[in-house]
Amino acid sequence: MSPDAPRIGLVEDDPIMGESLVQRLALEGIAVCWWQTGQEAASALPGAHVQAVVCDIRLPDLDGETLFRQVARTPDAPPFLFITGHADIDQAVRLMRSGAADYVTKPFEMADFLVRLGDLMRSRADEHAPALGTSAAMREVERLLRRVARIGSPVLITGETGTGKDVAARFLHAVSDNASKPFMAVNCAAIPADLMESELFGHERGAFTGAVQRHLGYAERAADGVLFLDEIAELRPDLQAKLLRVVENRIFHRLGGEQPLPFRGRLITASSADFPALVQAGRFRQDLYYRINVVTVRMPPLRERPEDVVWLMARFFAALTERMDSSLKGISALAQEAALAHAWPGNVRELHNRMERAVALGLGPWMMPGDLFPEAAGPVAGPGQQIGSLEDARADAEKRHILRALEATGGEVAAAAKLLGIGRTTLWEKMRRLDLGAD
């Protein structure tokens, strides 16, 4: 079976059923780690890297529930599909409430079992495909957002300007159960202060000069979805007080209206501000800060996660070349190296803007450092400074790119070659030429 085949764990003490499941799953292209006791599974699961666990509830030592509760405490625990007899259905239901993914009752139809297991594995695979970045920092952010997506508590997303707070808020909404509901985004810094209350809460006809008809605000249009307040620190004090009442009492009034209206949405806020300093200076209400800060998600700046730079470049390149119908073939290794050497003070927003300009204006066929950083064009060395040849620069860029591929694949040359889009022999030869220990 291919080393890339999906893998599950099977915890089943019945040798006949265990062997039958192993053989049937092999026909589906699924590798199986089979353990016949709970203790054996508990010891092996942390390093097994399985996408799901199929587990009998009744085992000779640990029961399935005890095993599940032990594994559930470990980071990145796989989902459990329980096999149960009719006498244990109540226990299976209790396990579902505790976080187990699904259960089937004996005797079960193999077709139904395979459908349920397939759904679990696809869900696991989707969850593990990076959506926000490949770095450990961003994978942790993504895991946190997926967890808080299941609850309705307010979320405050912090981070420097350009780190992707809006993207994180939209991702949180997209992976929630209310993904089909509205997502109303409000930039509190972009709306004039004298219009903010009307835009946020709406107004009745005649509420002020020029209010010729009723206007529904963002809070009302959010309905059962999300009200996202970006740069919330820019709200003036009187609106902070009104927002506090919305968070505490879940009601609001249109400007000029007397009828209280229910706020049914979820509140997500974001800011690059230093809230403790603002609270201490009296510029932001402490009680409101506590209310919106139930769960805090910090977006790390791009300089703290350089592993994401090339990944983001590839995503932006694909989207931009399709939108602009560009003839560019790809991003050169030199452009990648230049991007990795840049400090990115404007974070992801700066990277996107530079990529957009490079795709729009690049002469091709490959994106080069000058396309990304035209301000750096011109002499690169002053009198007396030594610079290497272009061939030296290319070799250095190639060497670093190969090292990143080897690091990403744990040193597996075959896997690194596949990742780089070259043959294994070609990679060996390049490693030998670049003195990367391929002898």
Side-chain angles (χ1 to χ4, degrees), residues 42-89:
S43 299
L45 267 170
H49 305 296
V50 297
Q51 292 175 248
V53 176
V54 177
C55 183
D56 199 343
I57 284 186
R58 296 197 177 188
L59 297 168
D61 49 354
L62 296 178
D63 65 3
E65 180 168 359
T66 302
L67 173 63
F68 167 70
R69 294 185 184 279
Q70 283 188 13
V71 174
R73 291 195 296 266
T74 62
D76 215 20
F80 270 62
L81 169 63
F82 279 102
I83 300 173
T84 178
H86 284 285
D88 298 316
I89 288 179

Side-chain angles (χ1 to χ4, degrees), residues 395-409:
D396 186 58
E398 192 172 59
K399 182 175 182 178
R400 294 188 187 188
H401 200 57
I402 290 173
L403 286 172
R404 285 200 299 273
L406 289 168
E407 182 180 359
T409 58

